[in-house]
Amino acid sequence: LTSSPEVAAMTADRCLRLASSSHFTARSPTPLPFFTLLGQALSAAPQTAEHLNAATRTTMRLLRGARRLVRRRQREHLGRQLDDAARSVSDVVTGCLRVLDVAMKLHTADSETSEAVVAEVLDEGLLHIGAPVFHSPSTRSAAVNVVNTVMRVPAVFARVAKTLTRFQLSAAEGLAKANSSRFVRIMHTNDDLTRAPSGYVGLVNQGLTCYMNSLLQ
């Protein structure tokens, strides 16, 4: 692929045609190397908006399909069967996230597409309380990489920061009520995300919130 841009372009085109077909769904037993090949082909091929937009549309369709599948299983079953449902789509979800990360790095999407990516990966995936669509550590890591990439757009960066702040406050409030302990103190809550007059910026940990603190900061 790296030695022949023409072969890379042809490979990317054929992979995208296959992944875009109606027979290719989140339920498809697709090995992770398929998505690895697609990502490598996109990186090595001459950059075209057509290929990169197609990759974004296709991976977003598959991610939504996986989310709907797992949520449907959540309504129908509980416990191990729900975990099995999330595990069954893990390779497809991880592969889609990795391809999406490649596409977003190579092509700065418009604000509407960027917002859709954030909504799907962050709101419905990483921060969703309920069915674990992002089941494995590799899937969650790939999702964080996508969020980091799409935050290159200033408007998206501000949106993600505010979303994480709201989630942090909501989680901390629930934890405080559960533990009947003091509410988490936050050094700045300004809508414009400016530094507080005190000169300090950051969150004070209140037990079990350190991971979200580090992610936000």
Side-chain angles (χ1 to χ4, degrees), residues 144-191:
V144 170
N145 288 339
V146 171
V147 174
N148 286 337
T149 297
V150 77
M151 283 200 304
R152 294 180 302 170
V153 180
V156 174
F157 178 87
R159 193 271 205 208
V160 170
K162 291 182 179 180
T163 298
L164 290 176
T165 300
R166 286 195 301 269
F167 183 84
Q168 165 69 23
L169 292 172
S170 176
E173 183 177 19
L175 183 63
K177 289 179 179 178
N179 294 340
S180 299
S181 59
R182 65 183 180 83
F183 184 68
V184 65
R185 290 183 292 113
I186 187 167
M187 294 304 181
H188 69 64
T189 55
N190 306 23
D191 288 339

Side-chain angles (χ1 to χ4, degrees), residues 52-79:
L52 299 175
N53 288 333
T56 302
R57 288 194 304 271
T58 300
T59 51
M60 289 289 288
R61 177 181 68 83
L62 292 171
L63 287 173
R64 293 188 185 104
R67 172 167 54 84
R68 286 193 293 267
L69 174 62
V70 175
R71 303 274 167 84
R72 186 167 64 249
R73 297 284 180 85
Q74 182 187 35
R75 292 192 296 270
E76 297 171 355
H77 308 287
L78 294 174

